[in-house]
Amino acid sequence: MAGTKGWGRLAATAMMVSLGACQGSVSSSPEGVPVALESIDGAPAKVQTALIDELSNAATDRKVELVGSSAQARYRVRGYISTETADGETKVAYVWDVFDAQKRRAKRLAGSSPVSIGSGSISSIDKETLSKLAAASMDEIAEFLAASKSENPFQTAEASDDETPVAVQ
């Protein structure tokens, strides 16, 4: 009987260690943290729509839960994209402001990348460039969400009336 109790304790200990390991991997995932994409400024409607499609694909790949702008969300994201040409090289730049439930900016994510676009205009950005921009953006957003998931209690960010919402498709 003493041997049986020993095995039971060993099994219980092993299960607790396994569950602890699982819990560690869950906290490094952005799953369960809904995010509303509210707006993308700086691009014409056609580019915004294409970028939203690419962001949605990238979000799915990274297990980021994008919700509509009128839905309950822990964070709300507003984006800005632009192009600039210097020394014959055109770059596309992006900024994502992530706001919490109190409408405070919780994080600003920014980056830029050289691109090949004919006119240097943002309206001529191709699907491949938008896909790369979306992937880089969602990598950073997913990393932020995963880190914040374990740090902050769940609160939702209310929809804002000051901007025209961007529908997630």
Side-chain angles (χ1 to χ4, degrees):
M1 191 68 150
T4 305
K5 285 185 182 178
W7 281 107
R9 285 188 190 130
L10 181 60
T13 302
M15 189 178 343
M16 288 174 60
V17 168
S18 295
L19 288 174
C22 288
Q23 204 166 24
S25 65
V26 169
S27 68
S28 65
S29 167
E31 287 182 287
V33 183
V35 177
L37 181 60
E38 291 210 337
S39 64
I40 301 173
D41 293 334
K46 179 181 169 187
V47 174
Q48 284 182 16
T49 300
L51 180 55
I52 290 167
D53 289 344
E54 294 302 325
L55 286 166
S56 294
N57 293 336
T60 300
D61 293 346
R62 288 150 185 83
K63 298 187 181 349
V64 171
E65 182 185 348
L66 282 183
V67 297
S69 61
S70 62
Q72 293 287 323
R74 183 164 177 188
Y75 293 101
R76 300 208 166 266
V77 177
R78 291 186 179 162
Y80 315 90
I81 62 172
S82 64
T83 57
E84 69 176 6
T85 303
D87 300 324
E89 180 180 58
T90 301
K91 291 184 177 187
V92 63
Y94 63 89
V95 174
W96 300 105
D97 284 332
V98 182
F99 295 93
D100 66 11
Q102 288 76 39
K103 298 182 181 179
R104 294 179 303 221
R105 187 169 63 198
K107 184 77 172 175
R108 174 168 267 194
L109 309 166
S112 68
S113 177
V115 293
S116 301
I117 50 179
S119 66
S121 167
I122 200 158
S123 61
S124 61
I125 292 178
D126 64 4
K127 181 177 171 66
E128 182 181 339
T129 301
L130 291 174
S131 179
K132 288 178 184 177
L133 183 141
S137 297
M138 272 306 148
D139 283 344
E140 291 185 62
I141 290 171
E143 185 178 314
F144 166 74
L145 294 175
S148 70
K149 184 177 175 182
S150 60
E151 294 171 9
N152 301 320
F154 185 81
Q155 293 182 353
T156 58
E158 297 299 320
S160 170
D161 291 334
D162 18 334
E163 293 284 331
T164 304
V166 175
V168 176
Q169 299 174 352

